[in-house]
Amino acid sequence: MREADPGGHVGVSVESASAWVRAWADAIATNKQALTKLDSAIGDGDHGTNMDRGMKAAVDKLAGSAAADVGTVFKTVGMALVSKVGGAGGPLYGSLFMQMGSAAGGESELSPEGFATAFEAGVNGVVARGKAARGDKTMLDALLPAAEALKEAVGQGTSWPDALRRAEEAAREGMEATIPLVARKGRASYLGERSAGHQDPGATSSHLLVECATETLAKGSS
Amino acid sequence: MREADPGGHVGVSVESASAWVRAWADAIATNKQALTKLDSAIGDGDHGTNMDRGMKAAVDKLAGSAAADVGTVFKTVGMALVSKVGGAGGPLYGSLFMQMGSAAGGESELSPEGFATAFEAGVNGVVARGKAARGDKTMLDALLPAAEALKEAVGQGTSWPDALRRAEEAAREGMEATIPLVARKGRASYLGERSAGHQDPGATSSHLLVECATETLAKGSS
Amino acid sequence: MKKLINEPDDVVREELEGIAAAHGDAVRVSLDPAYIARADAPVAGKVGIVSGGGSGHEPMHGGFVGRGMLDAACPGEVFTSPTPDQMLEATKAVNGGEGVLHIVKNYTGDVLNFEMAADLAKDEGIEVEAVVIDDDVAVQDSLYTAGRRGVGTTVLAEKICGAAAEDKRSLHEVADLCRRVNGAGRSMGMALTSCTVPSAGEPTFELGDDEMEIGIGIHGEPGRERMPLEPAARVVERLAGPVVDDLDLSEGDEVLAFVNGMGGTPLIELYIVYNELRKLLDGRGVRIARNLIGPYITSLEMAGCSITLLKLDDELTRLWDAPVVTPGLRWGA
Amino acid sequence: MKKLINEPDDVVREELEGIAAAHGDAVRVSLDPAYIARADAPVAGKVGIVSGGGSGHEPMHGGFVGRGMLDAACPGEVFTSPTPDQMLEATKAVNGGEGVLHIVKNYTGDVLNFEMAADLAKDEGIEVEAVVIDDDVAVQDSLYTAGRRGVGTTVLAEKICGAAAEDKRSLHEVADLCRRVNGAGRSMGMALTSCTVPSAGEPTFELGDDEMEIGIGIHGEPGRERMPLEPAARVVERLAGPVVDDLDLSEGDEVLAFVNGMGGTPLIELYIVYNELRKLLDGRGVRIARNLIGPYITSLEMAGCSITLLKLDDELTRLWDAPVVTPGLRWGA
Ligand SMILES: Nc1ncnc2c1ncn2[C@@H]1O[C@H](COP(=O)(O)OP(=O)(O)O)[C@@H](O)[C@H]1O
Ligand SMILES: Nc1ncnc2c1ncn2[C@@H]1O[C@H](COP(=O)(O)OP(=O)(O)O)[C@@H](O)[C@H]1O
Ligand SMILES: [Mg+2]
Ligand SMILES: [Mg+2]
Ligand SMILES: [Mg+2]
Ligand SMILES: [Mg+2]
C-alpha cells in the first residue's frame, strides 16, 4: 500500500514536468561530449550535439508558452525535438514526448499511475516509430525496462520516489546491458560484430531522462 | 710547372668521362633522399628524385651508345637530362652537359686545359639558360667557383689530381656558402627571408658532380 | 580540428549563404527551414523530386538541385538528417501538381524524418512517394536490422530520376524507375583517414598511419574491417569484388562506373583507382559504358573512395545522358 | 604516406591510363612522350593552345583539354615541370596551321623547358607564342628574382583563351588576350596541412595542429608566413586583401571570384570561404559577376584554399560564358 503523503499531493504537475524537462536539458548539456563520444565509437558522433540543440530549443519553447496542462508540456517538447533535432534521435524522442502528451491529455496534474501510463505510451510511441525491439542495442533497452519497472512499482503501491528510483535502476541496468550487444538497429548495426563492447548513446541519454525524473518528479512528495 | 706524368697521359678520355657520369649517377642515387630533403625545406621536394631519374636514363643511354669522343659522351648525357628530368634541374644540367659537349668537340681525349675550358663552357651554359648570378643561392654558387678554380689551377700547372681537388674544395665552399643566403632565383626565392639557413639542393648536387670528378677523372694519372 | 570555418554551429548556415550567393541565379535558398530549391520551382506539370540528408556530403544533395536533377534538397546539420518541417516546406515549394518523389538514403534518421514529412505533406493534399536507397554492400542486409545504407547509387538515382521527371513521367513511373536504379546499383567504400564533425572537434575514429578502414559509410562511421594499407589495385578488388558479385555481373554486361572521392582524396588518386577498376572489369568482360569520377558524395575531409556500379540498359543510359544543369553535375546545356 | 596508389614511380603513368580509359571519347592520351590532346586535334584553322606543368594539380591541366579550352596538356612528374620533348610533340599534335600558344606558369622549370620546346617547334616551322602567368601576390615581384608564381589565374586564362581560339582569333590576338588576363588576375593561397609527394613519401613541410601557412604556392613549397589558425573570415581577409589591393579594385568594379580548393578541403568549407569573400567584396562595392568554386588547381591532398580575383570587362565575361566541354570544366554544351 502506498504510504500516506504528508506533503499533500503526489504526482506530476505542470511545474514538475517542466522541471523534469529542464533538468534533462541540463544533463544533456553536461554530458554532450560524452554522448557524442559514445556515438563516435559506434555511430556518427552527433548524438550529444543533436540532443543538446533540440533540448535547448524545447526549453526555450516551453518558457515562451504558458502550458496549462501536463499534456501540453510534453507535446511542446515533442514538437520542438521533431523540428530541431533531426537524425534518429529527433523523431524517436519526439514520438516519446508526443505520445506521452497525448496520453496525459488535458490534466493539470498526473497521478503516479497516470504518469506511469503516459510514460509507457511514450515508450510505445518509440517502438511504433522505430520498429526496434529490446536487445537491438537502442534507447529502448533503457526505456522499456524503465517503463515496466515504473508501472510495476506504482501498481505495487511503492512510494512515488521509490518507484521513480526503481525505474532509474532499470534504465541503468538496461543501458549497461547494451555494452556487449551486437546492434541490430540504427547506425551501429552497420558495424556488425564491431558494435559489441560499446554502450549505446541513445540508451545513455534515455537513462539520463529517467534519472532526472527521480530528482524532479518526486519533488513535493515525502 | 706540371709534374712529369709517369703513367703516360693526363686528361679525360671517353672511358674516364663515362666513369665520371656513372659515379655522379651513383652519388645522386645514394644522396637522393638527402637532396629531396634539402629541396623540401626551400623548394618542392623533388630534386633528388628528378636527378636520379635523369641520371639513370643518362647512364642507360650512354651504355647503349658507343660514343667515340668525349663531346658525344657529354651531349648524350645532356640530352638525356633534358628529356627525362624536367623541372629546373633538367634544362640547367642539360645545358651544362650539352655546352660541355660542344666545347669538347670530337676529341677522343681532353687535356686538363681542354677539360677546364669545356667545363667552364658548360657552366656558362647554365648561366645563359637560367640567368642567375653568383650569390643567388643556386647550383651556380658551386659551379662557378669550381670552374674558376679548375681553370686557375690548370693554368698554374698544378698536378691534375690536385687541380681537381681544388675545384672540389671551391665547389664545397660555394655550396656551404649558400646556407645563409636569401634566394633570388628558383623556387626558393618565393620564400624570401625564410630561404636563409638552408643549403641549396642544386648547389649540393653540383658539388657531388665535382667531387666525383676528383675520383674518376684523375684516374690513370700520377 | 583544422577547417576553414568560423563557429562550428554556424557551418551549415554559412555554407547555405555561400551557395545562395554563388548560385542565386539557379537556385533559391531558404535558411529557416533550410532547403535549396530550383529558382523556377514549382515546375507546373512535372513531378517534383526532393532529397536531403545530413550536411557534409557536398556536392550531394544541394549541389544537385537544378534542371534535370533535383527540385529541392534539405540539408540537415552535419551528418544529421534534416527535420520533417524542412522536408515539408521543400515538398510544398516544388509541388507542380503532379506529386513529389522523396529520395531517401537508408539511415534510420533519414527514413523516420522523411516518413513524418510525407505524412504531413499528404495531410496538406500533396501526393508523395518515397523511395529508399540502400545500395551499400558493406552492410549485411536483413529483415531484422536497419538494412543496407544508402550511398553512391543515390547520386545516380537523383540524376536519372531527374531526367525522367523532365520527360514529364508520372510520379508512379518516376518512383518505379528510382526503385529500379536502386536495384541495379551497388557500392562499397573505404577510408584512409577519419573525418572530424565540426561540433565534435575531434576525428570520429582514429586510424594508424599504416591502416585503412574497409566498408565505411559516409558519416565517419567506422567500417566493417580495419586492415593494413594496400596498393590501389588490391583496394579496388576489395571494393569492386563484392559489388560485382552482388550485382551478379557477367560477361557482356554494361555498367556505369562511379569512382567517388570521400572529400580529402585528390583526383589524381581517383584516376588511378578508376584505372584499376577498368582492368578488373575488363577481366570479367564487363564493359564500362559510362563513368563518373570525382568527389560527389563525400564525408567531410575524409580521405578515401567508394566504388559504385550501376548496371545499365538503354533506358538508363539515355536518361543518364540527358541534359543536367546543376552546380555539381552539368552537361548537355 | 596514405594514398590510393600503387608504386610511387607509376603514379603519373597510371593516372594517364585512367584518364585515357575514362575520357577516350574526348581526348587522346600519349604515354611517351606524355601528353593529352583533344581527340579531334589538330583543329584546322584554329590556334592551338598547349599548357602543362607538374602533375598533382588535377584537374589542371589535363582535365581542361577539350573544346573551348586547351588543345593539349603536358603532365610532368608530380610537381616537376614536363620536358621539352613532351611539349614539342603536343605542339605538333595540335598545330592546325595557325600557330600554337604556350600558356606557362612562372616557375623556373616550366619556363626553361617551355623555352627549349618553343625553340624546337620553331625549328620545325611551327609558330609559337608563349605567355607566362605570374599572378601570385604572396611573392614579391622584382626584376632580380624568379618573380611571382603562376597559380589560379592560369585556369581562367586557359578557359578564356580557349574560347577566343574557338572564335578563330589569330595567335597574336589570343596571346595578347592571355597577357591581358594575366594582368587582370591576382591570387593568394593558404594551407591547413602539407602534402606528400609520392616519391618523397613524407610531408613536404610540417605544420602544428593549430598552425596554418599563408602565401603558399601549389607545390607544397612552404609559404611566406606561418601563424596560428584563424576563423575563415580572417583567413579570407588575409588572402583577398592583398589581391584586392594589388588589382586596385574600386567601387563598381566587376570580378570573377574563384575560390579554389587545394585538394584536401571539401566543398562545404569552400562555400563558407566564398561567403566571407562576397561579404568582403560587398563591403568595398566590388560586384562578383561570375564565380568558380571547387578544387581546380590543387596541390595533391593539401588542405587549404586559394582566392583568385579576375577583373572583368564585357569581352572577358563573354569569353568566360562561352561553351566549354572538358572533363574538369563544362557548360554550354
Ligand atoms: N530504430 C530505432 N529504434 C529506437 N532507437 C533507435 C533506433 N535507431 C537508432 N536508435 C537510437 O538512436 C541513437 C542514435 O541517435 P542519433 O545519434 O541522434 O541519430 P543518428 O544515428 O541519426 O545520428 C542510437 O544510439 C539508438 O539508441
Ligand atoms: N635560374 C636558375 N639558375 C641556376 N640554377 C637554378 C635556377 N633556378 C633554380 N636553380 C637550381 O635548381 C635547383 C632546383 O632544382 P629542381 O628541384 O630539380 O627543380 P624545381 O625547382 O623545378 O623543382 C635549385 O636548388 C637551384 O640550385
Ligand atoms: Mg548519431
Ligand atoms: Mg624541386
Ligand atoms: Mg547523425
Ligand atoms: Mg619541381
Side-chain angles (χ1 to χ4, degrees):
Chain A
M1 267 241 327
R2 178 161 316 132
E3 293 161 34
D5 173 16
H9 69 276
V10 156
V12 176
S13 63
V14 167
E15 289 73 45
S16 59
S18 303
W20 180 36
V21 168
R22 284 193 304 270
W24 192 40
D26 287 347
I28 295 273
T30 308
N31 291 282
K32 181 173 151 180
Q33 296 298 335
L35 291 170
T36 285
K37 205 148 185 173
L38 289 173
D39 197 32
S40 292
I42 54 171
D44 58 351
D46 62 1
H47 190 59
T49 328
N50 290 351
M51 292 306 299
D52 186 45
R53 183 177 60 248
M55 287 309 296
K56 286 207 159 69
V59 166
D60 279 357
K61 244 189 169 174
L62 215 50
S65 81
D69 57 77
V70 178
T72 304
V73 170
F74 292 154
K75 280 189 199 158
T76 303
V77 172
M79 272 151 62
L81 290 176
V82 167
S83 74
K84 287 294 168 198
V85 177
L92 291 169
Y93 278 120
S95 297
L96 177 83
F97 276 94
M98 293 206 296
Q99 295 305 318
M100 256 203 297
S102 291
E107 305 287 326
S108 65
E109 176 152 339
L110 295 182
S111 65
E113 288 81 5
F115 180 81
T117 306
F119 188 67
E120 187 182 29
V123 174
N124 286 336
V126 176
V127 175
R129 174 70 49 212
K131 295 177 193 68
R134 206 183 285 201
D136 283 352
K137 194 173 182 125
T138 72
M139 57 176 71
L140 286 170
D141 290 335
L143 292 174
L144 283 168
E148 274 172 25
L150 188 66
K151 194 177 172 186
E152 193 185 296
V154 167
Q156 290 169 347
T158 313
S159 84
W160 182 220
D162 282 349
L164 289 168
R165 262 189 293 276
R166 292 225 197 132
E168 187 274 332
E169 279 157 25
R172 177 186 301 274
E173 277 167 27
M175 167 186 84
E176 287 169 355
T178 62
I179 298 178
L181 294 178
V182 171
R184 276 192 299 258
K185 291 284 175 184
R187 230 172 259 286
S189 68
Y190 306 138
L191 285 179
E193 301 292 330
R194 279 177 82 185
S195 63
H198 299 275
Q199 184 167 301
D200 180 62
T204 310
S205 55
S206 284
H207 167 258
L208 288 176
L209 175 68
V210 184
E211 190 173 50
C212 290
T214 63
E215 293 155 11
T216 50
L217 299 187
K219 284 269 173 65
S221 62
S222 68
Chain B
M1 270 239 331
R2 182 163 312 132
E3 292 161 34
D5 174 16
H9 71 275
V10 156
V12 176
S13 63
V14 168
E15 289 73 45
S16 58
S18 303
W20 179 35
V21 169
R22 284 194 303 271
W24 192 40
D26 287 347
I28 295 272
T30 309
N31 291 282
K32 181 172 150 179
Q33 296 298 335
L35 290 171
T36 285
K37 204 149 187 174
L38 289 173
D39 197 31
S40 293
I42 55 171
D44 58 351
D46 62 1
H47 189 61
T49 328
N50 290 351
M51 292 307 299
D52 186 46
R53 182 177 60 248
M55 286 310 295
K56 286 208 160 67
V59 166
D60 280 359
K61 245 190 168 173
L62 215 50
S65 80
D69 57 76
V70 177
T72 303
V73 170
F74 292 154
K75 279 189 200 158
T76 304
V77 172
M79 271 152 61
L81 290 176
V82 167
S83 74
K84 287 295 168 197
V85 177
L92 291 169
Y93 279 119
S95 297
L96 178 83
F97 276 93
M98 292 206 295
Q99 295 305 317
M100 256 203 296
S102 291
E107 306 286 328
S108 67
E109 175 152 339
L110 294 182
S111 66
E113 288 81 5
F115 180 81
T117 305
F119 188 67
E120 186 182 28
V123 173
N124 286 336
V126 176
V127 175
R129 175 67 52 211
K131 296 178 192 69
R134 206 184 284 202
D136 283 353
K137 193 172 183 128
T138 71
M139 57 176 71
L140 286 170
D141 290 335
L143 293 174
L144 283 169
E148 274 172 25
L150 188 66
K151 193 177 172 187
E152 193 184 293
V154 168
Q156 290 170 346
T158 314
S159 84
W160 182 221
D162 282 349
L164 290 168
R165 262 191 292 277
R166 290 225 199 133
E168 187 273 331
E169 277 157 26
R172 177 186 302 274
E173 276 167 30
M175 166 186 86
E176 287 168 356
T178 63
I179 297 178
L181 294 177
V182 171
R184 277 193 299 256
K185 290 283 175 184
R187 230 173 258 288
S189 68
Y190 306 138
L191 285 179
E193 301 291 329
R194 280 176 81 184
S195 63
H198 300 275
Q199 185 168 302
D200 180 62
T204 310
S205 54
S206 285
H207 167 258
L208 289 175
L209 175 68
V210 184
E211 191 172 49
C212 291
T214 63
E215 294 155 10
T216 50
L217 298 186
K219 286 267 171 65
S221 64
S222 69
Chain C
M1 174 171 55
K2 290 192 133 177
K3 289 182 190 288
L4 288 165
I5 61 172
N6 295 303
E7 289 304 312
D9 285 351
D10 298 335
V11 162
V12 174
R13 185 181 48 76
E14 292 182 356
E15 178 208 3
L16 290 176
E17 288 177 6
I19 290 175
H23 308 301
D25 50 338
V27 301
R28 203 166 65 220
V29 175
S30 160
L31 291 179
D32 191 13
Y35 67 88
I36 301 173
R38 277 173 68 158
D40 61 352
V43 181
K46 189 185 89 67
V47 166
I49 305 185
V50 174
S51 190
S55 292
H57 308 304
E58 293 71 16
M60 189 184 81
H61 301 274
F64 298 144
V65 173
R67 181 153 69 88
M69 210 159 167
L70 297 178
D71 291 86
C74 304
E77 287 299 313
V78 172
F79 291 172
T80 299
S81 101
T83 59
D85 17 347
Q86 293 172 255
M87 298 160 179
L88 175 64
E89 287 310 312
T91 301
K92 281 157 58 174
V94 307
N95 177 33
E98 298 298 317
V100 176
L101 173 68
H102 287 177
I103 300 183
V104 184
K105 299 193 299 303
N106 190 32
Y107 299 95
T108 306
D110 293 63
V111 170
L112 298 184
N113 284 285
F114 266 109
E115 271 174 20
M116 292 181 119
D119 289 345
L120 295 169
K122 284 172 198 162
D123 286 352
E124 303 207 14
I126 303 176
E127 206 187 344
V128 171
E129 276 213 50
V131 175
V132 175
I133 306 290
D134 61 344
D135 62 318
D136 187 347
V137 298
V139 175
Q140 221 93 43
D141 201 7
S142 146
L143 266 182
Y144 306 101
T145 66
R148 287 191 307 236
R149 295 176 291 224
V151 286
T153 299
T154 314
V155 176
L156 312 183
E158 292 177 359
K159 164 67 187 83
I160 287 170
C161 294
E166 296 291 343
D167 282 355
K168 301 287 155 78
R169 297 205 203 168
S170 72
L171 175 58
H172 191 67
E173 287 168 328
V174 180
D176 266 354
L177 177 70
C178 195
R179 280 182 281 266
R180 201 153 78 71
V181 172
N182 185 48
R186 289 291 178 273
S187 305
M188 189 151 158
M190 61 82 63
L192 291 171
T193 65
S194 180
C195 56
T196 299
V197 176
S199 61
E202 282 175 21
T204 308
F205 57 90
E206 291 290 347
L207 262 180
D209 275 353
D210 48 1
E211 287 178 327
M212 62 179 179
E213 187 93 18
I214 296 281
I216 50 137
I218 51 169
H219 302 90
E221 311 97 324
R224 297 279 303 185
E225 220 181 329
R226 182 165 298 194
M227 55 175 61
L229 274 182
E230 292 178 336
R234 193 72 193 92
V235 170
V236 168
E237 280 171 27
R238 288 194 189 275
L239 301 185
V243 168
V244 168
D245 291 347
D246 201 286
L247 281 177
D248 209 7
L249 291 179
S250 54
E251 183 125 17
D253 281 340
E254 295 206 338
V255 296
L256 187 163
F258 171 24
V259 171
N260 174 62
M262 298 306 294
T265 286
L267 213 43
I268 186 170
E269 296 178 36
L270 298 182
Y271 276 112
I272 291 174
V273 168
Y274 182 78
N275 191 42
E276 294 300 335
L277 178 60
R278 75 150 176 109
K279 286 194 272 182
L280 183 146
L281 293 176
D282 268 1
R284 305 203 184 196
V286 175
R287 195 175 89 83
I288 302 182
R290 295 292 182 277
N291 65 72
L292 182 68
I293 303 167
Y296 291 102
I297 163 171
T298 61
S299 195
L300 294 170
E301 78 283 26
M302 175 181 279
C305 74
S306 64
I307 288 176
T308 299
L309 297 180
L310 175 70
K311 196 167 161 179
L312 286 174
D313 56 33
D314 288 349
E315 187 196 19
L316 296 185
T317 306
R318 198 181 53 70
L319 291 167
W320 177 256
D321 288 345
V324 58
V325 186
T326 73
L329 213 59
R330 180 164 182 170
W331 56 72
Chain D
M1 174 172 55
K2 291 193 133 178
K3 289 181 189 291
L4 288 164
I5 61 172
N6 296 302
E7 289 303 314
D9 283 352
D10 298 334
V11 162
V12 174
R13 185 182 48 76
E14 292 182 357
E15 178 207 2
L16 289 176
E17 288 177 6
I19 290 175
H23 309 300
D25 50 336
V27 301
R28 201 167 67 220
V29 176
S30 160
L31 291 179
D32 190 16
Y35 67 87
I36 301 173
R38 277 173 67 157
D40 60 353
V43 181
K46 189 185 90 65
V47 166
I49 305 185
V50 173
S51 191
S55 292
H57 308 303
E58 292 71 16
M60 189 184 82
H61 300 275
F64 298 144
V65 173
R67 181 153 69 88
M69 211 159 167
L70 297 178
D71 291 85
C74 305
E77 288 298 314
V78 172
F79 292 173
T80 298
S81 101
T83 59
D85 17 346
Q86 292 172 256
M87 297 160 180
L88 174 63
E89 287 310 311
T91 301
K92 281 157 60 175
V94 307
N95 176 33
E98 298 297 317
V100 176
L101 173 68
H102 287 177
I103 300 184
V104 185
K105 300 193 298 304
N106 190 33
Y107 300 95
T108 306
D110 294 62
V111 170
L112 298 183
N113 284 285
F114 266 109
E115 270 174 20
M116 292 181 118
D119 289 346
L120 295 170
K122 284 171 196 162
D123 285 352
E124 303 208 14
I126 303 177
E127 205 188 343
V128 172
E129 276 213 52
V131 175
V132 175
I133 305 290
D134 60 344
D135 62 318
D136 188 347
V137 298
V139 175
Q140 220 92 44
D141 200 7
S142 145
L143 266 181
Y144 306 102
T145 66
R148 286 191 306 237
R149 296 177 289 225
V151 286
T153 299
T154 315
V155 177
L156 313 183
E158 292 176 358
K159 164 69 186 83
I160 287 169
C161 294
E166 296 290 345
D167 282 354
K168 303 286 157 78
R169 297 203 203 170
S170 72
L171 175 58
H172 191 66
E173 286 169 327
V174 180
D176 267 352
L177 176 70
C178 194
R179 281 182 281 266
R180 201 153 77 71
V181 171
N182 185 48
R186 289 292 178 272
S187 304
M188 188 151 159
M190 60 81 63
L192 291 172
T193 65
S194 180
C195 56
T196 299
V197 176
S199 61
E202 282 176 20
T204 308
F205 57 89
E206 292 290 348
L207 262 182
D209 275 352
D210 48 0
E211 286 178 327
M212 62 179 179
E213 187 92 19
I214 296 282
I216 49 136
I218 52 170
H219 302 89
E221 311 97 324
R224 297 279 303 186
E225 220 181 328
R226 182 164 298 193
M227 54 175 63
L229 273 182
E230 293 178 335
R234 191 74 193 94
V235 170
V236 167
E237 279 171 27
R238 288 193 190 276
L239 301 184
V243 168
V244 169
D245 291 347
D246 201 285
L247 281 177
D248 210 5
L249 292 179
S250 55
E251 182 124 19
D253 281 340
E254 295 205 338
V255 295
L256 186 164
F258 171 24
V259 171
N260 174 63
M262 297 307 294
T265 285
L267 213 43
I268 186 171
E269 296 178 37
L270 298 182
Y271 276 112
I272 291 174
V273 168
Y274 182 79
N275 192 41
E276 294 300 334
L277 178 60
R278 81 158 168 101
K279 286 195 273 181
L280 183 146
L281 293 175
D282 268 0
R284 305 204 185 195
V286 174
R287 195 175 89 83
I288 303 181
R290 294 292 183 276
N291 65 73
L292 182 67
I293 303 167
Y296 291 102
I297 163 171
T298 60
S299 194
L300 294 171
E301 77 283 28
M302 175 181 280
C305 73
S306 64
I307 288 176
T308 299
L309 297 180
L310 174 70
K311 197 167 161 178
L312 287 174
D313 56 33
D314 287 349
E315 188 195 19
L316 296 185
T317 306
R318 197 180 53 70
L319 291 167
W320 177 256
D321 289 344
V324 58
V325 186
T326 73
L329 213 60
R330 180 164 182 169
W331 57 74

